[in-house]
Amino acid sequence: MGKYVTRMGDGFKVELTESEINRDIEEGSQEAAKNGQIAPLNQDESLYLLEIFKCPDRSVGVERGKEVVLSYDSGTTKFKRVNVSVSKIQSLQIYERMLGADTLELAHIDYSFKPVKPIVVFEQPILEQALLMTIPPLFYGAMPNLGLYSQPDGPCPNPGDLLPKGKIAEARASYEEQIEHAIKDMVYVGTRMYEAGADGINFDTTAAAGDAEFLATLQAIKILKTKYPEICIQMGMAAEFVLGMHGELYYENVRLAGLYPHKQLELAEKAGVTIFGPTTNIVTNRSLPWNVARAVTFTKACTEMARIPVHACMGMGVGGVPLTLSPPVDALSRASKAMVEISRLDGL
Amino acid sequence: MAVAHGIASGIGGIRAAGDLVARMQVSRGMRIKEAKEYVAGCLRISVEDIADPVVMSELREDLDIGRVNAVPGAAKGIDAKFRIAELLDIKINCVNKFRERTGL
């Protein structure tokens, strides 16, 4: 039986037979369905995914007419990361005029709301100037990053020190104090950048520190949306599962710990999010057919119930894209096609 | 990575009408199908032509709403967004701020 070249979740090549690909698609989809209590891929969707992985072409793409909007988290910092010596505004112009970006995002290299707060007066004029020179919608983005509010980086006792000592009440109290600090910073920065003219604010990698961070972000978004009803809020998640680091936090009477993407979406909509970005993490020791099937299953559950646009997170290590600094085109384009066509994304 | 995603599934930004479809998601929260149909209606083109850089390049030139190539006298930034706000019948935050600051 012939074999097909694909990759593992870490990006390394692997050769699989058709039955092995089929098995991985089935298992990946079932894993998502079981954990998220959602429907697995149906037979047609699984067969379509199989065809994508059997295609011998180096890169694949969506059918004509199925193209979607692309948004770019941490936009301008990507140029810094690869040590390209251009300014933030030049970065945005490159995205706009050379990369065909549908939206743009200005960001600080220390990509969290807390470190942006003291330098926001330097970010505002850059945004104002960039808005004069560019055409697509321009976001300001940062991460809620609740980890920065505990010692030694922040004012609150570190739950990571308290929990191993059995000080659960103290750890929970620390998280609750961190939430208040984080809300203030997110609302402050969001307000300043919207007042400077930004089309929207992107809350990227939300809930990376678990349920407390998710609650802080939802509450900050609610405040901004009440203050500015026309502001666009994009919220990209950190993972497919909200970690219950506190365990007893609720938003709109829903317990945040343990929520999967379609349940995260429901709360995002209630808070006033305009564009939601579900995330499915890569499992590096499973194949890409397994990982993509899993990501498509989780994401499809979102798009089927969404009332707002869904832009799945599809960078390194999420959304079926291998966890490697230079994702191979064969792997990335297959994830892109599968997520857009089977999950019916509005963007990514 | 941005290039690979763009080729695999992107509309193409100002090469085509990607920024305009994005505008409808940003300003009105439209899902992709509704946003494309709305933009196609405003531009009086088919939904398929939204991602066609040849069709859109000519149309963007006619409407003067900004395009990739640097053409003397053509809209390149805020001037393009003034026209886009009118074309799509939407509010654009920075356009409104510009009006406030200049007293237009």
Side-chain angles (χ1 to χ4, degrees), chain B residues 6-7 9 12-13 16 35-36 38 41 44 69 85 98 102-103:
Chain B
I7 291 170
S9 55
K36 282 182 173 179
Y38 184 89
R44 297 181 184 174
N69 296 96
F98 191 92
T102 56

Side-chain angles (χ1 to χ4, degrees), chain A residues 256-270:
Chain A
L256 301 180
L259 292 184
Y260 280 95
H262 61 298
K263 294 293 182 186
Q264 298 164 12
L265 165 74
E266 284 182 340
L267 296 184
E269 286 179 341
K270 284 181 181 173

Side-chain angles (χ1 to χ4, degrees), chain A residues 290-309:
Chain A
W290 187 92
N291 274 293
V292 172
R294 183 167 170 273
V296 167
T297 305
F298 272 131
T299 310
K300 190 167 152 280
C302 283
T303 54
E304 283 176 350
M305 62 184 290
R307 289 180 282 117
I308 58 175

